[in-house]
Structures are given as C-alpha cells and as structure tokens.
Amino acid sequence: MAHLELLAELDSLSDSLERWVADAPEWQPARTCRALVRRLLERGRSMRVRLEAPLVVATLGGTGTGKSALVNALVGAHATRTDRARPTTLLPVMICRPGITPKMLGIDPQLVELVQRDLPALGDMVIIDCPDPDTSEQADAPRSNLARLRQILPHCDVLLVATTQQKYRSARVAEELAGAAPGARLVFVQTHADEDQDIREDWRRILQEQYTVGHIFLVDSLAALNDAQAGVGPRGEFAKLVDLLTRQLAGTAPARIRRANFLDLVADTLAACKSRFDEGLPAVRQLETAVDEQRSSLAARLAEQTRSELLAGRRQWEGRLVNKVAAHWGFSPFALVLRAFGSVGGVVSGALLMRVRTPAQLALWGALEAGRTLHRKKSERQADASADRALAGTWDQAGLHAASLVLTGYATEAGLDRNHAAVEVVTAEAVEAGRDFATDVAGELELLLDRVARRHTGWFTRWRYDILLTAMLVVILLRPAKNFFYDSWLAAQPVEVFGVEFYLLSAFWFLLWCVVLLWVFTTRLRRGLGQEIGSLSEGWKNPRPAAGIFARLEGECGRVEHFGRELERLQQHVATLRHRLDLPDDQLAHRR
C-alpha cells in the first residue's frame, strides 16, 4: 500500500508539474522552465516504463581507471576489453542476461554494444561499461563517444564512479559526474588497490562540497576477477561492493532507487528553474515599480483636474441640491420657491449633457441626474456617445505616450510582451479607467450632496428663510389691502385704488427678494460644497483614479509572481516526498 501511495503521489507530482508549465506566463525564464520540465517529464515517463526492470548500473571514470576491469570482476568473467594504458571502451557495452534488450530499458540499440551472458551476478542487474569522459573528442559531435556517454547516462540508476590515485582530481570527469548525478545514485570506488596509495579521505573531502558521500570502496579488480575464475569468493572491500549491488539492491530496491533518482532530478530541475526565476524577477519588480510610478503620476493629474473642474462647476449643482433641500422641507413658502428654482435644473442639465468633455463633468452630470428617473434611459444613451469622446481626450496624451515608452523599455528588459505597453493599449485602458473613475465619483458626489443637503435643512435654517420670505410677502400684501379696504373706502379723503403698475412693481420686488434669499442660501450651499469637495479630493491622492491603466502589464507581472509561488510550493512538495522515501542503503551517495 505504501508503494502504491508513493506511486500515486509521483503521478500527482507529474500532473502538478504539467499544470504549472501549462499556466506559465509568456516570460523568458518561464519558457526556459517549461522546456526543462518537459524534458524532465519525458525522463519520468521513461522511468515509469522501466519501473520493474533490472537495476541499470553504469561505470563512470577517466581513462585508465580500470572501469572495464571492474565490470569484469563484478560479473565474474571477461565480458569487456581491458587495458590500463589507453582507453579501450569506445562504444558503451551493455552486459545483461539473455532476454534483456536495450529497448526494454528505453535505450537506443545503436548506442550500445550488447553482450548477453548467463551469469549469476546479472540476475537482477544490467551493467553498462561506458566510454571515458576525458576524451579529446568534441562533445557536440553526434557520433562521438562523449555524446554516446551523455545519451546513456540518463537511463542509468546507479553510477559506479571509478578513480585512481592519478585521476581522482580530474576536472573533466567531475564535470560529467555533476551533469549525470542528479538522476542517479552514486557508488565511489578507488581501483588499482595493488598499486596506488589510499586516497579515499582526500577524495571524500573533495566530493563533500557537492555530494553526500557514502562508503568509498578500495578494490583490486584484476585480483577479484582471478578469484572469481578460480572459484574463490569475493574478499575484503570487493566483497562489500558485490554484496551491495547483488543483495542489498535486489528485489524492490531498483524501483525505490528510480523513484529517488527521479525526485532528485525533479528537485534539481526545480532548483534550476528557481535560479532562472530569481535572475529574472528583479527586472519584473522594477517593471511593477515603474507601473506604480506612472499610474500615480497620471492619477494625480486626473485627480487634480477633476478637483479643479468640480470646484469650478459647483454652481451647476445648485438645482440638485435645492431639490434635495425642498424634498426634506416638504411644503412651506421658501420650499415652494426652491422647487420653482429647481425646475430650471432640468433645462440646465440637458444643456450640460451636450457639453460633457471630462470624467469630472461626466460625474457631475451623473450626480445632477441621479434623481431624474424619468429621463435616465434616454440620458444614458446620449451619455455613452459623448462620454467615449470625452474620456478619450481627458488624459494627457503626451503623458500617456511617455508612460508607454517608459514601460515598453521596462517590459523589454523584464522579458515580457512589450505590446501590453503599446500606446493604443494604454489609451484604451485609460478610457475605461476614466469611465470607472467617473462612475465612482458620481456615487461619491451623490453622497456628498446628501450630506450637504442634510446639513442645511435644520429647523432653524428653515424657519429663518420662511419668516423672511413670509415677512416680505406680508408687507407686499398689506399695502394693497390697506389701499383697497381703507384708503379707498373709509378714509376721510379717499384715494384711488392702486393700478397695474403697483402690482407689477410689487411682483418685481417680491421676485428680487426671492432671488436675494436664494442667492444667500445657495452661496452657503456652494461654500459647503467647496469644503466637501476639498475633503473628498484628499481621498483621491492615490493611484485609484488610474487603477485600470496598465492592467495588462500588471496582470502579466501578477502571473510571474504566481508562477514563482507555485514553484516554491512544488519545491516544498518534492522535499517532503524525498524525506519520506526510504533508500536501500546509506552506502549510496547522491548529489546535494
């Protein structure tokens, strides 16, 4: 059950890796990671095909280190040519029991020389004698021995790293070992024990910088082969090596080793992806900072423009405010005057709509029309056409163009699609951002008007204006009443009744008095509006007015950040799986 659960987790890990690279952003480091993970998944599929196949053990070492002699000693027969003086293995030699073919292990048959021998040591193991990595051939030559070596190593589960007193510091061998180690377990062997000094402790110090080093074996391959041919059992360090390969790594050990190798390879691949991600991330962070700076600059200009226009146009809000005040007051002498004044607002609003040019004006018009439900649908249709024209010209085109050029440079440096910062894209985003900002401002203005209206509808204010208006009305009415009832009838010397001129003059003075009261009242309203607008505009001193501009660039940066978070999550998951995996023996080494 534990075996099945681990297999299921490996399958889940492969699915997670596929989804991760499938959702990768169009970013150069992400494309590199996608290519690496796809090669990794191909390696994983190959590993799954040969999950129950015999353990594949390969030799790796410099020229003359006795790799072929070690192979012959392990199988107990002359299966490959040997020579301590010069390289003799030019083509990888695959030594296995009858019935095993290279295709069963995912190996191209043309890459290896196949040797099938019915030997006890080959019961659960396939041994590949590899060419020397410290050859003078060019590695990029498709048929070179070094190229064949690099094609073979990914199919190997355990590498027998052989060296001698003369070769254990070879830089070329260390380079090939570093490339092959992430996908295999390692067994370090010092050969030529009959001739060389014991260099294992010094070799261990060199290896410990990059590898967790298990036991290092010191063997005499030729003596071990002679013992096998003479019917003598393995002795000393060679006996421990044979026991490790034939007994401890038998049974279910190959499957566990392959899983461990695959997880090591996944961890190494993700580490390489993390390195590329970390290299590219600072440029993306610089792009994000540049986006914030350009957005803040554009937002500040729009907010200041909106504030100035709202302050300049606050007289146009009188009709809406007056209607709100009149609605709060109900029916009273001055409320009737306010309603008559507010009826003029409909005509003014219609004229304003045709002159909308900026988000501030659009927001103002929306606030003025918030209470006119009968004309709302018609107004919206008319507003759409004029608002698009208005918002397109609202933003500073020179500022948008400059921001586009700046962000195009940052996007190019970050490796993201520079088309997201094109002038056409930025302009379209600015229009949409202006529309959203105008909508938000209209809602805020509606609340602002409610606050100002409530502040100026107290009983003291209401009765003060009603008394002043009523007093004027009483004065105007008392004089014609006295003239008609007393002066013309009851007075000792009757006078004529006032003519039309008197009533016209009285109406003029009454209207003038209404205008004075309205002027005083609306002046106080405008003053309150100015204060409220000032307080409201303080809240616009942030990037909010331009929140929708550069949305595509910001979205790509967000995808990069998400890509990095998913990478870290995968690394943690792989680390957990590696910790859970029980390796066959602590004598096996692996790359740190």
Side-chain angles (χ1 to χ4, degrees):
M1 181 58 65
H3 174 71
L4 292 177
E5 288 178 354
L6 189 56
L7 285 179
E9 290 185 358
L10 291 179
D11 290 340
S12 176
L13 175 61
S14 298
D15 293 340
S16 298
L17 289 168
E18 288 181 351
R19 289 194 299 270
W20 177 59
V21 296
D23 296 336
E26 288 303 317
W27 182 46
Q28 183 55 49
R31 288 192 288 268
T32 302
C33 294
R34 185 187 298 124
L36 289 172
V37 170
R38 285 176 177 171
R39 288 187 175 274
L40 170 69
L41 293 176
E42 291 177 2
R43 182 83 169 265
R45 285 188 286 270
S46 174
M47 180 272 294
R48 193 154 181 78
V49 168
R50 56 188 180 89
L51 195 60
E52 304 301 332
L55 188 71
V56 179
V57 179
T59 59
L60 180 67
T63 303
T65 55
K67 300 186 301 297
S68 299
L70 179 61
V71 168
N72 290 335
L74 289 174
V75 301
H78 287 282
T80 181
R81 296 182 298 275
T82 62
D83 191 332
R84 290 191 178 187
R86 58 184 180 85
T88 56
T89 306
L90 303 179
L91 188 69
V93 180
M94 175 177 163
I95 308 167
C96 59
R97 68 174 185 267
I100 301 295
T101 63
K103 285 187 176 181
M104 295 175 60
L105 304 175
I107 300 174
D108 185 355
Q110 297 182 353
L111 290 178
V112 297
E113 175 186 344
L114 180 63
V115 176
Q116 295 180 327
R117 305 289 290 270
D118 188 10
L119 298 170
L122 300 175
D124 295 308
M125 181 173 57
V126 172
I127 299 182
I128 300 179
D129 187 14
C130 295
D132 304 326
D134 52 349
T135 175
S136 60
E137 294 179 318
Q138 294 295 325
D140 54 357
R143 295 186 179 181
S144 67
N145 291 334
L146 189 54
R148 292 190 182 98
L149 171 66
R150 293 179 177 177
Q151 289 177 290
I152 285 294
L153 290 180
H155 300 280
C156 301
D157 304 314
V158 176
L159 294 182
L160 293 178
V161 184
T163 193
T164 62
Q165 182 180 355
Q166 293 76 28
K167 292 283 186 176
Y168 75 101
R169 291 179 177 271
S170 171
R172 190 63 178 272
V173 176
E175 179 183 348
E176 295 302 321
L177 175 60
R185 289 298 177 223
L186 309 175
V187 177
F188 295 102
V189 182
Q190 179 187 350
T191 57
H192 299 182
D194 57 328
E195 299 178 358
D196 294 348
Q197 296 180 356
D198 188 346
I199 48 88
R200 289 183 291 175
E201 288 305 316
D202 188 40
W203 194 20
R204 181 185 297 276
R205 284 192 295 271
I206 297 173
L207 294 171
Q208 282 178 342
E209 296 180 1
Q210 291 183 287
Y211 307 94
T212 60
V213 183
H215 182 71
I216 300 180
F217 298 90
L218 178 63
V219 301
D220 182 352
S221 303
L222 296 179
L225 177 60
N226 293 332
D227 287 343
Q229 291 178 333
V232 179
R235 293 178 291 179
E237 287 285 303
F238 186 75
K240 295 180 181 179
L241 177 60
V242 171
D243 181 70
L244 171 65
L245 296 176
T246 60
R247 187 182 64 82
Q248 298 183 42
L249 300 185
T252 60
R256 296 199 301 274
I257 288 177
R258 289 184 180 112
R259 290 196 299 269
N261 291 343
F262 178 67
L263 288 176
D264 287 351
L265 194 59
V266 172
D268 192 70
T269 302
L270 293 180
C273 292
K274 187 67 166 61
S275 175
R276 286 164 173 79
F277 176 83
D278 291 341
E279 290 176 1
L281 186 59
V284 176
R285 293 278 172 80
Q286 289 180 350
L287 174 60
E288 291 177 325
T289 302
V291 166
D292 290 339
E293 291 175 352
Q294 296 299 323
R295 180 180 290 157
S296 298
S297 176
L298 292 172
R301 297 178 193 174
L302 178 63
E304 182 59 30
Q305 176 185 349
T306 303
R307 176 180 177 275
S308 300
E309 292 179 358
L310 290 178
L311 289 174
R314 64 182 182 272
R315 288 178 177 271
Q316 302 168 4
W317 303 16
E318 293 177 6
R320 180 75 177 118
L321 269 174
V322 166
N323 285 337
K324 283 183 173 291
V325 172
H328 281 289
W329 281 354
F331 291 95
S332 66
F334 192 66
L336 294 175
V337 174
L338 292 179
R339 291 180 188 276
F341 177 78
S343 63
V344 184
V347 179
V348 176
S349 177
L352 287 176
L353 173 62
M354 305 308 298
R355 300 183 62 82
V356 168
R357 293 294 182 270
T358 66
Q361 295 170 354
L362 183 62
L364 174 60
W365 176 83
L368 291 173
E369 285 297 295
R372 306 182 185 279
T373 56
L374 295 178
H375 302 285
R376 185 179 300 276
K377 292 185 179 180
K378 180 180 179 180
S379 300
E380 287 177 355
R381 289 195 299 268
Q382 294 174 344
D384 285 340
S386 61
D388 286 340
R389 295 192 300 271
L391 295 174
T394 296
W395 302 90
D396 180 9
Q397 294 300 314
L400 290 177
H401 186 72
S404 173
L405 290 177
V406 171
L407 295 180
T408 296
Y410 278 105
T412 302
E413 185 178 351
L416 292 172
D417 188 357
R418 57 185 296 174
N419 292 326
H420 293 318
V423 176
E424 298 80 7
V425 174
V426 172
T427 302
E429 292 174 338
V431 170
E432 189 64 28
R435 188 193 309 278
D436 294 339
F437 179 60
T439 302
D440 293 341
V441 171
E444 293 177 353
L445 292 179
E446 180 66 20
L447 297 176
L448 181 149
L449 292 175
D450 287 336
R451 289 196 302 271
V452 175
R454 285 195 301 269
R455 185 182 304 165
H456 294 83
T457 55
W459 65 270
F460 179 76
T461 302
R462 175 181 177 179
W463 286 110
R464 181 173 54 187
Y465 284 98
D466 279 341
I467 290 172
L468 290 174
L469 181 63
T470 303
M472 183 64 174
L473 185 61
V474 168
V475 170
I476 292 176
L477 291 177
L478 281 176
R479 187 175 181 188
K482 178 177 178 296
N483 172 259
F484 181 79
F485 290 106
Y486 179 78
D487 293 342
S488 63
W489 287 359
L490 302 177
Q493 296 181 353
V495 297
E496 296 181 358
V497 178
F498 293 152
V500 176
E501 293 82 0
F502 174 81
Y503 290 101
L504 290 176
L505 187 61
S506 297
F508 168 76
W509 285 109
F510 180 73
L511 289 176
L512 182 60
W513 182 244
C514 290
V515 169
V516 170
L517 292 179
L518 281 173
W519 176 79
V520 174
F521 183 74
T522 54
T523 299
R524 294 182 69 246
L525 288 181
R526 285 195 296 270
R527 188 181 302 115
L529 279 174
Q531 295 173 354
E532 290 288 342
I533 291 173
S535 300
L536 184 63
S537 62
E538 289 296 321
W540 298 337
K541 293 183 178 180
N542 54 56
R544 182 174 68 90
I549 308 182
F550 317 125
R552 294 189 184 181
L553 271 181
E554 190 174 42
E556 287 300 304
C557 293
R559 292 187 64 193
V560 169
E561 298 280 358
H562 178 73
F563 183 76
R565 290 192 296 271
E566 287 297 305
L567 172 57
E568 293 178 354
R569 186 187 64 81
L570 286 171
Q571 286 184 303
Q572 293 175 357
H573 183 47
V574 170
T576 301
L577 290 178
R578 294 178 73 190
H579 180 72
R580 288 179 54 191
L581 188 62
D582 183 21
L583 293 179
D585 195 280
D586 58 4
Q587 294 181 354
L588 294 176
H590 60 88
R591 188 174 179 180
R592 292 185 184 276

